[in-house]
Amino acid sequence: MFENQPLDFLKHLNPEQYRAVTAGEGPILVLAGPGSGKTRVLTQRIAYLVKAMGVRPHHILAVTFTNKAAREMQHRLETLLGEQSQSIWLGTFHAVCARILRREAAYLPFDQNFVIMDADDQIALVRQALKALNLDEKLYRPAGIHATISMAKNNLITPEEFTPRTYRDEVVKRVYQQYQTFLRNNNAVDFDDLLIETVRLFRENPPVLERYAGRFEHVLVDEFQDTNLVQYELLKLLTSVHQNVFVVGDEDQSIYRWRGADYRNVLRFESEFPDVQKILLQQNYRSTQTVLDAAQGVINRNHQRTPKRLFSDRGRGEPIVLYEAVDEFAEATFVVDTIRQWIESGKARGSDFAVMYRTNAQSRLLEEAFLRAGIPYHLVGAQRFYGRREVKDVIAFLRLAQNPDDEISLLRVINVPPRGIGEKSLVALQLLARETHQSPGHLLLELGEKGHDSPYWARFPGRSAMLLADFGGLLANWQRARDTLSLIELFDRILADVGYEAYINDGSEEGQDRWENVQELRRLAFEYRERGLSAFLEDLALVSDQDTLPQDQNAPTLLTLHAAKGLEFPQVFIIGLDEGLLPHSRSRDDPEEMAEERRLFYVGLTRAKDRVYLVRALRRSAYGVAVEQEPSRFLADIDERLLQRQGYRRTRSSATTWAAERSPSSRVPPSPAHAAILQPRYRPGQRVRHPAWGEGMVVDSRIQEDGEETVDVFFESVGFKRVIASIARLEAINPD
């Protein structure tokens, strides 16, 4: 039925791609360098399985890491396979697992209407757990506690198996146990549960595993280097029958270690599948050779990797600009001025540019510079559409209509708009729920249905029972309407029942904007008119920042290096190339962390098609004090012949030269002759005091070529700092 179909698409593959697409059965590892066409290889491999090898589409599972990547693959497969593509199981790890769990709910500790707690809900649930355990969230930060719980789940460690090594670990274990209890009481799962519960389902129910592993004759995985332990275990289980697993990845682009990703899964794959076919994709279709040579100079210093030689047919291209600014203000000014000149010349559009940085905090000065220049920009990682108050309110109402046991959503909207249900009523509702082993939502349904006839009516003083019953009645109506109305009709019914438009839109510009956001959510809901409420809520819970990146916005993009993965731009700026920023100071004493910082810089470089600007600052402010910066060690790995140096720089004769740029805090340096007669004011071993950092000891002091004295001090409060003596306001404690 499927064999001997036209294979015209194979004509456009290079030799390495052709070998990967047409490989036979068994385990196949494709190490795909950046811009080497891995999405093409994945999609055409699927088309080849169907058209040339006769594999039925519903026997194929393809797993990606983002919804954006899944949509792109689906679109390409529709072009290659037409309607046959609809039968392929294609989606993110989390979406595929959610689909399996809903189908196999009979084996699980929650039912098929479970809700998926988004990132904000998960933190809220940790806060509830801390409160239930009488723990101070100022001492035990919810985000940090949740990160530890998530890491444990990613390593398949349950609350019972979590082994404390410190007192904080003891606290985490207790919170983890309470957190899981709250999830189950809410008929809910978090992102990590989607994976770990699927692994547990397969391990504890061999017939279920056999059904899925038997069905999926071929499993294909994108971004394999970003898999964690639980995802790797999931893949082994799903491929346990046929052993036909096709993974595409690049250990050089593994940058998510902090959330459990382990590039060593590539090495494990090679050792656990000794008959694996290993194919390298080294031809780059994105960048110039100069960009690739610079990136390879950086990444070749890492170990535990397969060496690659990236090459491009796009020619040498422009040299990489290395700009050294006087300070962080001049750094931001250079970036914005350069972009403005390109746009005003008509040779580039705003959307051609990306400005990347290591930490979100670095965006502030950039944003201010763009605002001063009157240039619009798009900030990735700012408050997402789905994180806005009014959007989260409506989603919470819809989640309650699907799952009244969802206590997080209930607490969010039970008094939205205000209906007189106070804190005492909520506490009484929660206590009664715990006492009767029910969810607060279930109690509300009973109050709404039975009113005064409910045995719980008398447990609420004054008007509380009536107010709670009114909301319970609404909830019961939505429950019934869920099965009879379309998603849009249910959406409109809920908003009308609670009077949400009048509540959110007071006629002001902000109110109108908020109501527009609700209408935008409604437009999105309309696209799910056939798939329904469950699919709508599931996709919203699994959306990522990249999934909300505007496609046609003609403005420069500001984003972290982590968020840049999978994107590309004609011109890329990477700022903050100073020791302590990139690489980050946290990586200084950890070789694995340092290797990941190097991979992060490599990913940033290889996002560029035509031009790269590397930008650093000689000085940065810290608590009002200008601190001298050391250039990033990664810059030394780039061949000098690839660079065009600009800004403040030192020539080979060691004389100091300055570019035309000046910042408000810059000064003309003294001549080298004047600097030569200066002597350091501070000496090693001397005790000093700083107005912000307190007491410390001088480690070293020296006169720079610009005549400034720089002092290395170890402060008891903040550790090692390098400061400029003339403006650091250091006070000698034991002068002599």
Side-chain angles (χ1 to χ4, degrees), residues 328 331 576 578 581 616-622 625-627 629:
E328 67 268 41
E331 178 183 55
D578 305 318
L581 276 178
R616 64 172 301 263
L618 292 164
R619 303 164 185 165
R620 294 185 188 275
S621 298
V625 175
V627 180
Q629 303 294 299

Side-chain angles (χ1 to χ4, degrees), residues 134-152:
N134 293 316
L135 294 167
D136 187 349
E137 69 174 67
K138 293 180 180 178
L139 293 176
Y140 306 103
R141 305 307 293 251
I145 295 289
H146 180 264
T148 306
I149 292 172
S150 180
M151 189 64 71

Side-chain angles (χ1 to χ4, degrees), residues 61-244:
L61 169 65
V63 186
T64 67
F65 266 81
T66 67
N67 292 318
K68 179 183 177 183
R71 287 194 298 269
E72 172 64 20
M73 284 185 64
Q74 185 65 52
H75 176 72
R76 295 195 189 192
L77 286 170
E78 287 172 357
T79 301
L80 290 167
L81 296 175
E83 291 185 2
Q84 297 176 69
S85 65
Q86 300 300 318
S87 301
I88 297 167
W89 274 52
L90 170 62
T92 64
F93 270 100
H94 293 91
V96 167
C97 287
R99 185 175 177 183
I100 293 172
L101 293 177
R102 292 197 193 280
R103 287 186 167 205
E104 309 299 335
Y107 298 92
L108 303 171
F110 41 83
D111 67 39
Q112 64 180 3
N113 289 324
F114 64 82
V115 295
I116 303 169
M117 295 290 185
D118 66 18
D120 292 339
D121 295 331
Q122 292 169 41
I123 298 299
L125 215 56
V126 170
R127 284 199 171 93
Q128 278 194 24
L130 287 166
K131 185 177 180 180
L133 295 168
N134 293 316
L135 294 167
D136 187 349
E137 69 174 67
K138 293 180 180 178
L139 293 176
Y140 306 103
R141 305 307 293 251
I145 295 289
H146 180 264
T148 306
I149 292 172
S150 180
M151 189 64 71
K153 290 187 175 185
N154 286 334
N155 286 289
L156 292 168
I157 299 172
T158 65
E160 295 72 29
E161 296 165 338
F162 189 89
T163 304
R165 291 186 175 85
T166 65
Y167 179 71
R168 181 182 182 276
D169 287 349
E170 292 278 2
V171 171
V172 171
K173 182 180 179 75
R174 293 165 59 200
V175 175
Y176 188 2
Q177 291 170 327
Q178 187 66 60
Y179 174 80
Q180 288 301 110
T181 299
F182 283 167
L183 280 173
R184 296 301 167 260
N185 290 344
N186 281 266
N187 191 37
V189 297
D190 62 16
F191 298 149
D192 300 316
D193 281 341
L194 291 171
L195 305 178
I196 198 171
E197 290 294 342
T198 306
V199 169
R200 183 177 297 148
L201 169 72
F202 288 156
R203 285 178 172 178
E204 296 178 358
N205 301 277
V208 177
L209 171 60
E210 186 176 349
R211 188 161 69 249
Y212 284 92
R215 169 179 181 159
F216 297 130
E217 297 175 8
H218 288 265
V219 177
L220 302 93
V221 185
D222 191 13
E223 304 287 7
F224 182 63
Q225 77 282 345
D226 290 333
T227 54
N228 56 32
L229 179 62
V230 65
Q231 288 162 336
Y232 186 76
E233 180 65 20
L234 191 61
L235 286 175
K236 288 201 299 182
L237 290 167
L238 285 169
T239 59
S240 58
V241 173
H242 298 288
Q243 301 281 299
N244 292 323

Side-chain angles (χ1 to χ4, degrees), residues 426-437:
L426 287 177
V427 170
L429 178 67
Q430 290 175 298
L431 288 175
L432 182 57
R434 305 292 183 264
E435 179 186 323
T436 57
H437 305 290

Side-chain angles (χ1 to χ4, degrees), residues 95 157 417 462 504 562 591 672 717:
I157 299 172
I504 204 69
H562 280 105
S717 61

Side-chain angles (χ1 to χ4, degrees), residues 297-309:
V298 172
I299 202 62
N300 284 343
R301 295 288 300 275
N302 271 0
H303 306 293
Q304 290 189 302
R305 57 182 292 271
T306 301
K308 306 176 192 70
R309 180 66 184 97

Side-chain angles (χ1 to χ4, degrees), residues 424-707:
K424 289 184 178 179
S425 297
L426 287 177
V427 170
L429 178 67
Q430 290 175 298
L431 288 175
L432 182 57
R434 305 292 183 264
E435 179 186 323
T436 57
H437 305 290
Q438 302 179 70
S439 69
H442 188 81
L443 280 176
L444 286 174
L445 286 174
E446 175 157 330
L447 287 171
E449 295 280 7
K450 297 182 179 179
H452 289 83
D453 295 332
S454 168
Y456 306 119
W457 184 276
R459 297 291 297 270
F460 299 98
R463 299 175 58 247
S464 295
M466 183 178 297
L467 295 171
L468 292 171
D470 286 346
F471 188 79
L474 290 175
L475 191 54
N477 289 335
W478 301 336
Q479 283 268 286
R480 287 188 289 269
R482 183 191 69 189
D483 299 324
T484 58
L485 300 181
S486 69
L487 176 55
I488 285 295
E489 290 171 334
L490 178 63
F491 190 108
D492 293 342
R493 169 78 171 274
I494 290 173
L495 296 190
D497 284 350
V498 301
Y500 196 77
E501 181 178 6
Y503 163 68
I504 204 69
N505 186 6
D506 58 2
S508 67
E509 184 175 348
E510 180 184 359
Q512 291 170 2
D513 286 345
R514 290 189 180 280
W515 182 243
E516 266 302 308
N517 288 333
V518 173
Q519 292 305 298
E520 179 61 29
L521 184 66
R522 186 182 186 277
R523 283 188 283 274
L524 178 62
F526 182 75
E527 297 177 14
Y528 285 76
R529 58 192 179 279
E530 295 181 0
R531 295 176 60 194
L533 176 62
S534 180
F536 178 65
L537 294 176
E538 185 171 302
D539 285 358
L540 290 188
L542 299 178
V543 76
S544 69
D545 281 341
Q546 280 198 7
D547 297 325
T548 60
L549 189 64
Q551 299 297 311
D552 302 315
Q553 187 173 27
N554 186 22
T557 299
L558 279 56
L559 72 172
T560 66
L561 287 160
H562 280 105
K565 180 76 176 297
L567 304 177
E568 59 180 35
F569 302 89
Q571 302 198 43
V572 166
F573 291 78
I574 303 178
I575 69 168
L577 276 157
D578 305 318
E579 285 291 305
L581 276 178
L582 184 64
H584 197 280
S585 58
R586 288 193 300 265
S587 66
R588 184 179 295 130
D589 300 321
D590 186 336
E592 284 290 344
E593 288 285 351
M594 185 59 71
E596 178 135 331
E597 293 290 302
R598 190 177 293 278
R599 293 193 293 269
L600 194 58
F601 184 36
Y602 174 79
V603 165
L605 285 169
T606 55
R607 300 309 94 196
K609 295 180 180 179
D610 304 319
R611 293 176 182 269
V612 172
Y613 296 84
L614 305 178
V615 194
R616 64 172 301 263
L618 292 164
R619 303 164 185 165
R620 294 185 188 275
S621 298
Y623 301 103
V625 175
V627 180
E628 185 175 333
Q629 303 294 299
E630 291 292 329
S632 168
R633 68 189 70 189
F634 299 154
L635 294 175
D637 299 326
I638 300 177
D639 191 324
E640 188 69 30
R641 291 171 294 183
L642 303 175
L643 297 175
Q644 180 184 91
R645 291 180 176 266
Q646 296 182 10
Y648 181 108
R649 60 196 185 277
R650 291 185 174 89
T651 65
R652 290 184 180 179
S653 64
S654 296
T656 302
T657 60
W658 288 69
E661 55 112 24
R662 287 289 184 268
S663 76
S665 63
S666 63
R667 301 194 303 269
V668 177
S671 68
H674 176 68
I677 64 174
L678 296 177
Q679 297 296 320
R681 176 183 173 192
Y682 298 94
R683 56 179 175 75
Q686 187 175 18
R687 298 286 298 177
V688 293
R689 182 182 293 109
H690 183 271
W693 299 326
E695 293 188 9
M697 184 179 72
V698 175
V699 177
D700 191 19
S701 181
R702 55 199 174 281
I703 302 296
Q704 301 293 333
E705 292 169 353
D706 60 1

